[in-house]
């Protein structure tokens, strides 16, 4: 016996209803949500495109996109180390290093003067740094990376070094006390220092003699008969060697040497010394 189609359809519907009642789920048509709406909704158990699935056990806020991190604060401005008017050993080293890279041609003085400002500006401009003329931390680090540690006589190429302790032979009488160690001359009377000045000596081929001597001849406007060079305020103490003013020493500092004499660079100081020294006064040259 054939069963009518309508009965079979009703049976299927009855069976589906029974399954729904048992499973507790809602049957959804393709393209519809559990609420019966279509489009714009995410099927259950799926993550919207462009987001990460939430971490098990995390709160709903943890699934939100992370907020952008705040921008890093700007780097602090370079700190000024030295500027015009400053003095000291550090300024002397700065000047010596600027000489090494040919931005400063005068010898170090230990005073941050106009020439130093100009040299620092030139160095900064060449390297794309602000041309302030002040030596800040950035400028100093760049200069350190391009130069070497200056030697003692680079630091004192223009003089200014402290005088050495007087030799014991200088402590009595009237003495020109000449130290090769500190390159200085002390004019001393009975152990008291009257004046101090920078000096330089002969080269290895024409060395200045060491020992105890006496001034035996003075010549205010002397000219060397061997080298045909002026030797103002000459005070001879050993053969042709004398203490005298040197314009070359004044101009080039310790980048030159004498022919054995004791050169003085400060004309005013040696003029005063020349007027006080007498023939017979002692000269001590020592290390």
């Amino acid at each position: 016996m054939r069963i009518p189609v309508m009965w079979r359809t009703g049976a299927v519907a009855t069976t589906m209803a029974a399954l729904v009642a048992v499973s507790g789920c809602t049957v959804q048509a393709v393209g519809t949500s559990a609420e019966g709406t279509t489009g714009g909704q995410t099927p259950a158990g799926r993550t919207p495109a462009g987001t990460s699935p939430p971490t098990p056990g995390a709160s709903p806020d943890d699934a939100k996109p992370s907020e952008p991190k705040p921008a890093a604060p700007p780097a602090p401005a370079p700190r000024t180390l030295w500027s015009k008017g400053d003095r000291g050993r550090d300024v002397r080293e700065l000047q010596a290093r600027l000489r090494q890279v040919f931005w400063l041609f005068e010898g170090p003085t230990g005073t941050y003067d106009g020439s130093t400002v100009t040299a620092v500006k030139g160095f900064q401009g060449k390297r794309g740094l602000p041309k302030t003329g002040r030596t800040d931390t950035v400028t100093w680090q760049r200069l350190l990376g391009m130069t070497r540690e200056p030697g003692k006589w680079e630091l004192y190429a223009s003089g200014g070094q402290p005088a050495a302790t007087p030799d014991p032979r200088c402590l009595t009488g009237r003495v020109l006390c000449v130290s090769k160690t500190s390159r200085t001359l002390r004019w001393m009377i009975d152990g008291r220092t009257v004046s101090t000045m920078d000096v330089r000596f002969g080269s290895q081929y024409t060395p200045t003699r060491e020992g105890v001597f006496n001034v035996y001849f003075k010549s205010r406007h002397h000219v060397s008969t061997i080298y045909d060079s002026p030797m103002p305020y000459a005070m001879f103490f050993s053969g042709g060697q004398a203490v005298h003013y040197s314009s070359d020493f004044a101009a080039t500092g310790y980048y030159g040497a004498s022919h054995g004499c004791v050169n003085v660079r400060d004309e005013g100081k040696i003029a005063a010394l020349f007027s006080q020294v007498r023939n017979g006064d002692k000269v001590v040259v020592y290390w």
Side-chain angles (χ1 to χ4, degrees):
M1 179 176 184
R2 301 182 66 179
I3 299 172
V5 174
M6 289 183 62
W7 181 90
R8 288 196 301 172
T9 301
V12 171
T14 302
T15 302
M16 290 295 294
L19 288 172
V20 169
V22 173
S23 66
C25 295
T26 302
V27 178
Q28 300 181 35
V30 176
T32 62
S33 66
E35 286 77 20
T37 58
T38 60
Q41 299 295 327
T42 303
R46 297 184 60 185
T47 302
T51 63
S52 301
T55 303
S59 66
D61 289 339
D62 294 335
K64 295 180 180 178
S66 59
E67 297 181 358
K69 295 181 179 180
R79 179 170 58 90
T80 297
L81 300 175
W82 311 289
S83 58
K84 189 172 183 180
D86 288 341
R87 297 171 179 268
R89 196 269 183 199
D90 289 338
V91 174
R92 192 177 290 276
E93 180 177 346
L94 166 68
Q95 293 168 329
R97 288 181 182 273
L98 287 169
R99 278 183 62 91
Q100 291 179 17
V101 291
F102 306 105
W103 280 106
L104 188 66
F105 297 96
E106 301 173 3
T109 63
T111 299
Y112 206 116
D113 54 12
S115 297
T116 306
V117 171
T118 300
V120 171
K121 282 184 177 180
F123 179 84
Q124 291 170 328
K126 185 72 173 179
R127 281 141 194 91
L129 302 175
K131 297 172 62 176
T132 64
R134 299 185 300 274
T135 302
D136 55 40
T137 49
V138 174
T139 301
W140 180 237
Q141 288 302 317
R142 292 293 296 275
L143 184 59
L144 286 178
M146 298 177 62
T147 55
R148 54 176 170 74
E149 181 75 19
K152 179 178 180 181
W153 299 117
E154 285 183 275
L155 294 173
Y156 293 99
S158 290
Q161 61 274 11
T165 302
D167 185 279
R169 296 169 292 181
C170 299
L171 300 180
T172 57
R174 299 164 57 88
V175 189
L176 294 172
C177 191
V178 182
S179 169
K180 283 189 170 182
T181 301
S182 63
R183 297 183 179 181
T184 55
L185 180 154
R186 289 178 185 260
W187 168 230
M188 303 184 69
I189 300 177
D190 296 330
R192 179 177 61 89
T193 300
V194 178
S195 61
T196 304
M197 56 203 75
D198 304 324
V199 295
R200 75 176 183 183
F201 308 101
S203 68
Q204 60 177 323
Y205 304 107
T206 56
T208 302
R209 302 181 190 100
E210 299 150 25
V212 180
F213 312 93
N214 295 95
V215 175
Y216 69 87
F217 175 62
K218 294 174 62 180
S219 178
R220 167 66 180 79
H221 301 287
H222 197 79
V223 176
S224 172
T225 57
I226 299 176
Y227 302 106
D228 194 31
S229 57
M231 300 170 57
Y233 306 104
M235 294 169 278
F236 289 88
F237 62 88
S238 176
Q241 295 188 355
V243 177
H244 68 85
Y245 171 71
S246 168
S247 58
D248 180 73
F249 183 25
T252 65
Y254 292 106
Y255 296 99
S258 73
H259 292 101
C261 289
V262 177
N263 289 166
V264 177
R265 67 184 312 148
D266 190 317
E267 187 171 10
K269 285 187 175 182
I270 195 169
L273 179 64
F274 185 86
S275 67
Q276 298 173 53
V277 171
R278 308 168 188 164
N279 286 342
D281 286 347
K282 188 163 54 175
V283 179
V284 177
V285 181
Y286 67 101
W287 281 102

